[in-house]
Structures are given as C-alpha cells and as structure tokens.
Amino acid sequence: MLIPQYESVKREFDTNLSSMYKLDNFICCEENMMAYSAAEAVAFETEVFNPLYFYGESGTGKTHLLHAIGNHILEHYPKMKIMYVTAEEYINDFTKESYKNNEYAIREKYRSLDVLLFDDIQLLAEDERIQKEFAYTVDSILRAGNQVVIAADNPPKKLKGYDRRIQKMLGMGLVTELHFPNPVSKENIVRVKAQERGVLLQEDVYKYIAEKCNSDVA
C-alpha cells in the first residue's frame, strides 16, 4: 500500500525523531546492504515489510535506521502520526498510566499511530504484562494497515522471556541483521563524522581512528 497523499501542513504531533539521522548519511557497508535497502523500501512505501525487524549489537546502526525511516516519511507526509520510542520510554508510559488506572490513554497514544518505530524491544521481556500489552498494540497497528519497525539485540525467535506467539508475530515480516562495518566502511564513517563537525584530518589519522574503534564508530 502506498503512503496516503497528505497535503503539506504544519506538524503538531511529537514524533521523538532526531533530525540528525537520515537515510543519506547512513554509511552502509556491504554486510548491511539488505537492512539498508529494507529501510529505504519502508521509508518510500510502507507495508512492503511489516513489521520490519532489525537486530544486531549496540552500535551497528539500528537506531539510525529507525530515525531515518521516520524522518523520510515525515518530510514527505508531515500529517502522518509517526513516533520513535524506546522500550524504556514505553515502560515508563505504561507504568505511569497504570498507576492512574488510565491504561486506555496508553492504548490510544500508540494504537492510533500510522508508523511506530520501536527500539530495544528485548527490554520488555522484564515485564510480562507490558510485553503482552505491547503485542496487542502491534497487532492493532498492523490490522489497521499501518507500519511497525522494531529494533532489538536478537532476532524474534531468540528474544528471552517472550511468548512464542509474540515471537512469531514480530517475525512475520522481514527480519534482517545489522553488522559492524568492515575496515573500509569504518574509515569512511570516521571521515564523514569529521566532516560533519568541520574537522579536517590527514588520511592516516582517519585510518588510525578507525582501527582503534572496536564497535560504535559514530
């Protein structure tokens, strides 16, 4: 399904998106081409992969792609209800509303979204009640024909503490892994990050920094 043609209007909905993360400033190594291509596909036309599920170690670019997808859609369709949220933020929201006996508010907030971008889903396994509520939310969004993009440290079938039915639901779209960049890509990332900060270095310095970065180059 193509993204609906909303007219350009001033946005009032709080997306939690960071404008620094774009598709065109994600430096993609060969190992991450599938994940990047999937992100592009969803950003240009939702529901091609739904849900879209990224997994990989911290520092591989999962959060960047979540924000980049949201920013691209928002740029072209500013009236769409898009939200980036971490598991910690979702847990805090749920706990706060539950304390006030107002769980309807949390359901209304998330189930009405056109695009949900959810980070660190593995953290929900710590609370079965919240985990199930989130599963109902995802199911509701999907049934409405809207988009869900998820990031985690492991694929759905390896999420500890999750019911098998929820694992199956999370994995019924596209599941793709993100890897740490290869040496050439790491050097390119260092070069781009330096340019973004207005820093000019000698070529051997870029290489030295890249070699010393064992994980998150950014």
Side-chain angles (χ1 to χ4, degrees):
M1 181 188 76
L2 290 173
I3 299 175
Q5 295 293 318
Y6 290 111
E7 61 181 79
S8 180
V9 295
K10 183 178 179 180
R11 178 179 60 80
E12 297 179 355
F13 186 78
D14 187 7
T15 65
N16 296 329
L17 291 170
S18 171
S19 61
M20 68 181 291
Y21 296 117
K22 305 286 187 179
L23 287 172
D24 58 10
N25 68 6
F26 182 84
I27 303 191
C28 186
C29 60
E30 183 178 352
E31 295 87 346
N32 291 335
M33 187 57 69
M34 181 177 178
Y36 180 76
S37 296
E40 273 194 319
V42 168
F44 281 88
E45 182 179 347
T46 60
E47 283 199 282
V48 287
F49 306 117
N50 204 13
L52 174 58
Y53 188 109
F54 298 116
Y55 73 95
E57 295 184 56
S58 177
T60 52
K62 302 185 301 296
T63 297
H64 187 133
L65 289 182
L66 289 180
H67 283 278
I69 290 170
N71 281 322
H72 180 89
I73 296 174
L74 188 64
E75 180 181 352
H76 294 85
Y77 306 96
K79 200 174 180 181
M80 291 192 78
K81 294 180 70 175
I82 304 168
M83 182 179 289
Y84 166 85
V85 62
T86 65
E88 182 179 5
E89 290 166 341
Y90 184 82
I91 291 169
N92 290 340
D93 267 359
F94 185 88
T95 303
K96 179 180 67 176
E97 297 302 336
S98 294
Y99 182 77
K100 295 188 294 185
N101 293 318
N102 191 24
E103 294 180 7
Y104 173 81
I106 196 76
R107 292 167 185 166
E108 177 65 21
K109 177 179 179 179
Y110 291 101
R111 297 186 189 187
S112 63
L113 293 174
D114 295 308
V115 182
L116 171 62
L117 308 159
F118 199 90
D119 213 348
D120 291 328
I121 194 176
Q122 70 276 0
L123 299 181
L124 297 188
E126 298 176 3
D127 191 308
E128 183 178 353
R129 184 183 174 204
I130 295 177
Q131 179 192 134
K132 289 183 176 179
E133 176 62 31
F134 177 75
Y136 288 132
T137 293
V138 170
D139 183 66
S140 178
I141 293 173
L142 296 179
R143 287 180 182 274
N146 296 322
Q147 181 70 48
V148 177
V149 186
I150 294 168
D153 60 354
N154 280 303
K157 63 182 180 181
K158 291 188 177 180
L159 286 174
K160 296 180 179 179
Y162 268 79
D163 184 276
R164 287 185 178 275
R165 291 170 296 180
I166 298 177
Q167 291 176 326
K168 184 177 180 180
M169 180 185 68
L170 296 176
M172 68 183 184
L174 178 67
V175 177
T176 181
E177 184 177 7
L178 280 157
H179 305 266
F180 287 119
N182 57 45
V184 174
S185 295
K186 286 173 68 175
E187 189 174 335
N188 287 335
I189 291 172
V190 173
R191 185 176 287 103
V192 169
K193 293 301 179 182
Q195 291 173 352
E196 289 176 350
R197 293 163 174 77
V199 178
L200 181 62
L201 304 174
Q202 295 181 347
E203 286 300 313
D204 58 339
V205 177
Y206 293 124
K207 184 175 182 180
Y208 175 80
I209 294 174
E211 289 175 347
K212 294 298 181 181
C213 292
N214 295 322
S215 55
D216 189 354
V217 185

